Amino acid sequence: TLNKCDYTEHKGRTPSFDEHLSITLTNPIKTVTSDIALLSLNIMNKLSHIPEKVRNRRTNFSIRRPEVESDTVVFNLPKSYEITELPAKSEILSKFGKYTAIVTKKDNNQIEYIRNLHLLKGRYLAEDYVAFREFLEEISSQDNAIASLKISK
């Protein structure tokens, strides 16, 4: 349920906007056993497109415009859940850009997930294509990070 939506537009040479959402999720926690549950942390902005594999690529490629994505998600968990394990900080650096994901426990029932992706504009050689795909595949994998929770009774 969307509780509140605000945004701020930044005009100028590099236009951007900040969007602030307050949402209530009905069941984001998946129960694994009677006392263990998992929470998918990136519920807002998973990398969804990885270019198709091309064998023996012969043409160069480009990233036409730089792209910056910054997301912060704060989970307020019910008191019946205890945070048992969070993923380590993830940082991926390449000539194509940078990705970071940081998960912190704010208090006993609050998790903060911060994700930043910065793709760099550029022209790349055909032989760089495999490395570009691997960069995106690694981001996609990290975007599926989960938190482990214990269900208290």
Side-chain angles (χ1 to χ4, degrees):
T1 307
L2 179 62
N3 302 323
K4 186 177 179 184
C5 177
D6 294 317
Y7 72 92
T8 305
E9 185 176 4
H10 306 284
K11 296 181 179 183
R13 184 179 173 118
T14 308
S16 66
F17 71 94
D18 296 327
E19 184 177 44
H20 300 273
L21 303 173
S22 173
I23 59 174
T24 302
L25 302 173
T26 53
N27 196 12
I29 300 170
K30 304 299 178 209
T31 302
V32 178
T33 66
S34 62
D35 64 342
I36 297 173
L38 301 175
L39 173 65
S40 179
L41 297 168
N42 187 352
I43 59 169
M44 300 299 289
N45 197 10
K46 289 184 181 181
L47 183 67
S48 60
H49 177 72
I50 297 173
E52 117 184 22
K53 281 186 179 179
V54 177
R55 287 182 77 141
N56 303 319
R57 186 178 177 107
R58 294 185 180 134
T59 58
N60 295 340
F61 68 99
S62 65
I63 298 173
R64 292 188 177 145
R65 61 187 68 83
E67 186 174 326
V68 177
E69 297 175 355
S70 295
D71 299 304
T72 301
V73 178
V74 177
F75 295 93
N76 294 305
L77 303 173
K79 297 212 183 296
S80 59
Y81 291 94
E82 178 186 331
I83 301 164
T84 56
E85 189 174 345
L86 297 175
K89 176 182 178 180
S90 175
E91 185 170 50
I92 305 166
L93 298 170
S94 96
K95 66 175 163 183
F96 309 109
K98 179 179 179 181
Y99 169 92
T100 58
I102 301 168
V103 184
T104 53
K105 179 179 176 180
K106 292 308 221 181
D107 64 31
N108 286 339
N109 292 85
Q110 193 175 68
I111 297 172
E112 181 180 64
Y113 172 76
I114 301 172
R115 176 192 185 269
N116 291 296
L117 172 61
H118 184 192
L119 287 178
L120 300 172
K121 175 183 175 179
R123 298 177 143 234
Y124 302 98
L125 299 174
E127 53 264 23
D128 291 331
Y129 187 74
V130 171
F132 177 62
R133 282 194 81 258
E134 288 171 353
F135 173 64
L136 296 180
E137 285 174 342
E138 196 172 347
I139 291 169
S140 180
S141 175
Q142 294 302 314
D143 274 352
N144 288 308
I146 56 171
S148 178
L149 309 172
K150 181 179 179 183
I151 303 169
S152 307
K153 297 190 178 181

